[in-house]
Amino acid sequence: MNGIEKAKIISKILNQIYPKIKVPLKSRNNFTLLISVLLSAQCTDVNVNNVTKNIYPRYNKPKHFVKLGRKRIEKLIKKIGIFRIKAKSIFNLSKILLEKHKGQVPKTFNELEKLPGVGHKTASVVMSQGFGYPAFAIDTHIHRLAQRWGLTNGKNVTQTEKDLKNLFPKKNWNKLHLQIIYYGREYCKARSCYGLTCKICTTCYPHRKKPVITRKA
């Protein structure tokens, strides 16, 4: 079974389980989506949502966070991991958005990735979920599963993104990103499936006997 054949099987299974998919991070606009994705680094979506539900009703624009200042932002997000670093990024990127982008989130990868604390993965999520642009954000779940399913060698996240984009139709990237994340959390977990028990793993590799060792993102 080659990569294209596996990709078709995987898409079919994911569409059966998740015909419709919800964005896990809650937001009010593209700016708060950007902030939530930034906050989600080394943190669960549930924790981010629990923290931001008390923030976004009052503070949901760059000017709000500039006015708050770093120290007050820190207090608002102190339940989130590495909150001081994230508060600094939020404050600085809010200033840049006001000064260079008229308070709007830019619509290109290049401009997004120039913002403090915004890497390619964060930019990809904003481009796909915020602007509807086809993107394939690779997080730890997707990087791990792509290796288990034989879709990439897992050399690095850049290679994984390239391999997945070559295997799946562009029109499906945005939905697939979320489907794979949900499937990884529910069925093909890091410490339970090991490439041996879930429906996708057993369908793609019916004779596999040994646990799959994957490279970290």
Side-chain angles (χ1 to χ4, degrees):
M1 190 184 299
N2 61 35
I4 295 292
E5 291 170 334
K6 289 176 190 172
K8 289 180 179 178
I9 290 170
I10 289 164
S11 290
K12 184 178 180 181
I13 293 172
L14 291 176
N15 283 328
Q16 289 172 343
I17 299 173
Y18 308 109
K20 293 183 179 180
I21 203 82
K22 290 183 178 180
V23 175
L25 288 170
K26 299 185 184 300
S27 60
R28 296 172 67 97
N29 51 39
N30 286 339
F31 172 70
T32 54
L33 172 63
L34 173 61
I35 299 304
S36 285
V37 179
L38 188 155
L39 291 174
S40 69
Q42 301 179 42
C43 182
T44 66
D45 293 342
V46 172
N47 192 18
V48 173
N49 289 337
N50 283 336
V51 169
T52 58
K53 70 182 179 182
N54 298 317
I55 298 174
Y56 293 159
R58 294 184 64 190
Y59 311 112
N60 48 64
K61 296 178 181 180
K63 64 181 182 181
H64 295 157
F65 286 89
V66 171
K67 189 174 181 179
L68 280 169
R70 277 181 57 186
K71 292 300 180 183
R72 290 181 67 192
I73 296 172
E74 284 181 10
K75 290 181 180 179
L76 288 173
I77 66 169
K78 63 183 179 181
K79 291 183 179 179
I80 287 178
I82 55 174
F83 70 93
R84 290 187 178 88
I85 294 173
K86 292 176 181 178
K88 181 181 179 180
S89 295
I90 291 169
F91 176 71
N92 288 333
L93 76 79
S94 296
K95 284 180 65 178
I96 292 171
L97 291 180
L98 286 176
E99 294 167 0
K100 296 185 177 181
H101 301 284
K102 298 180 180 179
Q104 301 298 311
V105 177
K107 296 182 179 181
T108 69
F109 280 99
N110 185 46
E111 290 177 309
L112 281 168
E113 290 175 27
K114 287 180 180 177
L115 297 173
V118 179
H120 183 65
K121 186 208 121 180
T122 297
S124 295
V125 174
V126 173
M127 289 294 287
S128 64
Q129 297 176 11
F131 297 114
Y133 182 88
F136 216 134
I138 306 300
D139 71 350
T140 54
H141 290 289
I142 295 176
H143 184 62
R144 169 172 52 83
L145 298 183
Q147 294 173 71
R148 281 186 178 176
W149 301 344
L151 304 178
T152 184
N153 61 18
K155 186 176 180 181
N156 51 55
V157 292
T158 302
Q159 185 62 49
T160 297
E161 180 179 348
K162 181 180 178 181
D163 291 339
L164 294 184
K165 284 182 173 180
N166 285 333
L167 290 172
F168 294 98
K170 192 173 185 178
K171 64 181 181 179
N172 297 337
W173 292 351
N174 293 352
K175 185 178 182 181
L176 269 166
H177 161 74
L178 292 172
Q179 287 176 319
I180 295 173
I181 288 173
Y182 276 107
Y183 187 87
R185 291 173 179 174
E186 193 170 359
Y187 298 102
C188 197
K189 298 178 182 180
R191 293 178 177 83
S192 60
C193 177
Y194 293 106
L196 298 172
T197 60
C198 82
K199 186 174 182 179
I200 289 178
C201 287
T202 54
T203 301
C204 291
Y205 292 95
H207 305 297
R208 179 185 275 165
K209 302 296 181 183
K210 296 181 179 180
V212 178
I213 298 173
T214 56
R215 296 172 184 248
K216 291 186 178 181

